Amino acid sequence: MPLYEHVFIARQDLSNAQAEGLIEHFGAVLSDNGGKLVDHEYWGVKTMAYKINKNRKGHYSFLRTDAPSEAVQEMERLMRLHDDVMRVLTIKVDEHAEGPSIQMQKRDERDDRRGRRN
């Protein structure tokens, strides 16, 4: 099955438990349609570059999935209809990266970008 990565932003006035409950809800939607949630990360409340639906901040969540395209389309459809979800981004990847995403890594564990400019 194809591999996908999803990032979605939920409203800022939700509690952390409610925001993490959305991850479980959408993971259940995937499993009901023949896919599976490989990994998920809750990135926390972050400030956005611009307001979305009069919100300046939002709960960011990251999902790694292994699902057929029909399951992903159904999950995205339900995300767009859900009142608490403001934005959704889905990309298809060749393989999932091992370990935590770049958002969850400590700054000293990341690659040094300044060394590439030479």
Side-chain angles (χ1 to χ4, degrees), residues 79-99:
M79 282 182 168
R80 294 187 197 290
L81 291 174
H82 204 285
D83 291 336
D84 293 334
V85 177
M86 296 188 297
R87 288 285 191 273
V88 179
L89 173 70
T90 299
I91 59 170
K92 186 175 180 180
V93 294
D94 294 328
E95 63 183 32
H96 290 303
E98 293 295 321

Side-chain angles (χ1 to χ4, degrees), residues 2-110:
L3 303 175
Y4 295 93
E5 292 181 352
H6 315 272
V7 175
F8 69 91
I9 307 171
R11 290 184 307 124
Q12 67 184 357
D13 54 347
L14 297 177
S15 68
N16 291 351
Q18 288 173 319
E20 291 180 12
L22 287 175
I23 295 172
E24 302 303 322
H25 172 70
F26 294 123
V29 169
L30 278 177
S31 62
D32 291 346
N33 290 297
K36 68 176 183 175
L37 184 63
V38 176
D39 188 22
H40 64 85
E41 294 176 356
Y42 172 67
W43 290 346
V45 177
K46 296 189 176 289
T47 303
M48 296 182 283
Y50 56 90
K51 288 183 180 181
I52 300 174
N53 299 339
K54 300 181 182 177
N55 290 299
R56 180 60 80 183
K57 295 182 179 185
H59 291 273
Y60 282 71
S61 300
F62 176 69
L63 310 173
R64 290 183 177 131
T65 61
D66 183 6
S69 62
E70 295 82 19
V72 172
Q73 288 173 353
E74 178 64 14
M75 183 186 73
E76 283 186 332
R77 185 183 76 82
L78 292 175
M79 282 182 168
R80 294 187 197 290
L81 291 174
H82 204 285
D83 291 336
D84 293 334
V85 177
M86 296 188 297
R87 288 285 191 273
V88 179
L89 173 70
T90 299
I91 59 170
K92 186 175 180 180
V93 294
D94 294 328
E95 63 183 32
H96 290 303
E98 293 295 321
S101 65
I102 196 74
Q103 286 288 330
M104 297 300 285
Q105 293 176 4
K106 293 180 184 173
R107 187 170 295 279
D108 55 348
E109 293 176 3
R110 297 181 190 170

